[in-house]
């Protein structure tokens, strides 16, 4: 989101009011482009700077992001210099999109010069810089140039009438351009509103009343609202995608090895035949031989048998019997392991498909928690989560509603809690994808649209002519002990559709 400098003026006042005197307890970097400060001032407070896809933004979050187990180098540097320090002030620099946070030394009585953490929230030039006096101690990104000080009139410090006169005197071709060229801290959005007003002086007076009010949380609340509503493609999602890809590769190799071992085990009779043939020809074999060719005891054909020269003929025969018995026992266990591995791959496929969708923060965190519950990820110690449950996608039609699950928790909720037995349930046939429910009028048009959504929210969304199963919800059930999102069903009808264009 793009915050104008005038918005940051309000936000800085609010952050200063909330954080002045707070002690910095812990510093994290949830992603390579974000910084989280855990502070304490009567209660725990968190300051989050996000320079990634949802940024630039500096705010007090209601929901805390995941933090990595291993801190990045810049995070370690900030911990060294700022942890246990007290925040003296937060101030906006030159009414620009730069906020400076001054932090006192952590040791009481230490006369060391305070350190300044600088947040440059300036689009492509976003950065976080740690400075002490004029010395740069470190930065998140390479510092290419010092930001040029903006020139113009302070929109909150000069009378509205004089501001309007200065704007009109500017030589820019449009009123909007005159405003941005004349007034500090005014971006395109606010300039557009001012330019459309009937009277510029009156509009500027209203602007001054709005932004000169005592510090409040309105900009902070706006940031939280915008970030919560934005599909989150941050490092947590990419990290989970990488983990799932690794698990799929691992289980694919395991499945191949199990199948090869089973193929060998199915030839167990070969070892029994060799053992029987050796036992019937013990007098023809001498200890020390490495191989021998004998007539097969059962069909008389020539049979080449490898021997261990350190074993007696009878001991060699016993070795073949042992292999025969081993493979006989192994066949049943290998078949079981193959089935379990195939189920695991099917489950991982469903997670991979969910992670390929545009997801909100709480939807990603639910997948993260599901992987912890499944034992794929380790549970972090002392990690408290306060994320509200995510909601399935809801498509409202004139006479019906289509619900779409975007992760396994939503899928189970849709199918077994929200849907009625007489609602229609949809899922791509033998392809990982979302559970889709049609509530309301089961017209041909609504059914076709629900099937197209099921096709789109599946692994086959980029294909055509996709098979989709449709069945009444009452014929769908979840086996005891099955993984999240897994169901079985009967009485289904399969149709082939093209995926819907995403709404």
């Amino acid at each position: 989101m793009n915050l104008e400098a005038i918005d940051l003026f309000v936000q800085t006042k609010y952050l200063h009011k909330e954080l002045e005197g707070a002690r910095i307890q812990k510093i994290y970097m949830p992603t390579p482009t974000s910084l989280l400060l855990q502070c304490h001032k009567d209660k725990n407070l968190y300051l989050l700077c996000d320079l990634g896809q949802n940024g630039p933004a500096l705010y007090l979050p209601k929901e805390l992001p995941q933090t990595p187990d291993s801190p990045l180098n810049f995070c370690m540097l900030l911990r060294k210099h700022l942890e246990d320090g007290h925040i003296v002030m937060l101030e906006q620099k030159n009414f620009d999109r730069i906020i400076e946070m001054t932090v006192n030394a952590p040791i009481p009585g230490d006369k060391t010069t305070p350190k300044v953490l600088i947040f440059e929230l300036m689009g492509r030039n976003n950065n976080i810089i740690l400075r002490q006096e004029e010395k740069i101690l470190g930065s998140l990104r390479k510092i290419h140039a010092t930001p040029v000080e903006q020139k113009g009139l302070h929109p909150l410090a000069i009378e509205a009438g004089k501001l309007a006169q200065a704007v009109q005197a500017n030589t820019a071709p449009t009123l909007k351009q005159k405003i941005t060229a004349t007034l500090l801290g005014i971006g395109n959005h606010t300039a557009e509103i001012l330019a459309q007003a009937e009277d510029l002086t009156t509009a500027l007076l209203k602007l001054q009343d709005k932004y000169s009010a005592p510090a409040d949380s309105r900009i902070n609340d706006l940031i939280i609202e915008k970030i919560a509503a934005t599909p989150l493609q941050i490092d947590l999602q990419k990290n989970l995608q990488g983990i799932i890809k690794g698990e799929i590769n691992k289980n694919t190799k395991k499945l191949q090895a199990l199948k090869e071992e089973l193929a060998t085990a199915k030839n167990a009779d070969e070892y029994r035949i060799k053992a029987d043939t050796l036992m019937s020809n013990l007098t023809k074999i001498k200890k020390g031989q490495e191989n021998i060719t004998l007539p097969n005891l059962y069909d008389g054909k020539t049979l080449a048998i490898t021997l261990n020269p350190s074993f007696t003929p009878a001991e060699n025969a016993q070795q073949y019997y042992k292999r025969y018995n081993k493979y006989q026992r192994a066949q049943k266990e290998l078949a079981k392991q193959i089935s379990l591995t195939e189920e695991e791959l099917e489950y991982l496929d469903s997670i991979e498909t969910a992670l390929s969708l545009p997801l909100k923060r709480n939807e990603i965190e639910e997948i993260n928690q599901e992987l912890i519950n499944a034992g794929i990820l380790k549970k972090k110690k002392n990690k408290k989560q306060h994320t509200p449950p995510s909601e399935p996608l809801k498509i409202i039609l004139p006479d019906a509603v289509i619900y779409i699950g975007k992760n396994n928790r939503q899928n189970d909720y849709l199918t077994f809690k929200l849907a009625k037995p007489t609602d229609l349930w949809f899922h791509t046939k033998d392809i990982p994808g979302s559970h889709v429910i049609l509530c309301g009028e089961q017209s041909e048009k609504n059914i076709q649209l629900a099937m197209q959504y099921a096709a789109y929210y599946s692994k086959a969304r980029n294909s055509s002519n996709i098979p989709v199963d449709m069945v009444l919800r009452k014929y769908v059930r979840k086996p005891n002990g099955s993984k999240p999102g897994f169901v079985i069903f009967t009485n289904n009808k399969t149709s082939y559709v093209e995926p819907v264009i995403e709404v």
Side-chain angles (χ1 to χ4, degrees), residues 27 29 35 37 73-83 117 128-130:
I27 299 175
M29 287 186 66
L35 179 67
L37 304 184
N73 290 338
F74 185 57
C75 183
M76 295 293 288
L77 176 76
L78 295 180
R79 288 180 178 181
K80 174 184 175 182
H81 288 281
L82 300 180
E83 280 189 357
L117 191 61
I128 302 175
I129 302 168
L130 180 63

Side-chain angles (χ1 to χ4, degrees), residues 288-299:
Q289 286 184 257
E290 294 184 353
N291 52 69
I292 192 169
T293 302
L294 296 168
N296 188 312
L297 180 64
Y298 296 96
D299 60 15

Side-chain angles (χ1 to χ4, degrees), residues 217-236:
S217 66
R218 63 180 184 270
I219 300 298
N220 199 80
D221 295 338
L222 176 64
I223 294 172
I224 291 172
E225 179 185 346
K226 292 291 185 184
I227 286 181
T230 303
L232 195 63
Q233 302 287 351
I234 61 169
D235 286 0
L236 175 59

Side-chain angles (χ1 to χ4, degrees), residues 4 163-164 167-168 172-181 183 186-205 207:
E4 299 177 15
L163 291 176
V167 168
Q168 296 294 356
T174 68
L175 181 55
K176 178 181 174 182
Q177 290 172 323
K178 290 174 184 286
I179 293 169
T180 55
L183 306 182
I186 302 297
N188 289 329
H189 176 69
T190 302
E192 185 71 37
I193 294 173
L194 292 172
Q196 291 177 0
E198 292 183 6
D199 180 71
L200 182 59
T201 301
T202 303
L204 287 168
L205 277 170
L207 181 80

Side-chain angles (χ1 to χ4, degrees), residues 268-282:
D269 275 351
E270 177 186 324
Y271 295 95
R272 180 182 58 80
I273 291 169
K274 287 182 178 180
D276 290 345
T277 300
L278 287 174
M279 288 300 293
S280 64
N281 291 279
L282 290 177

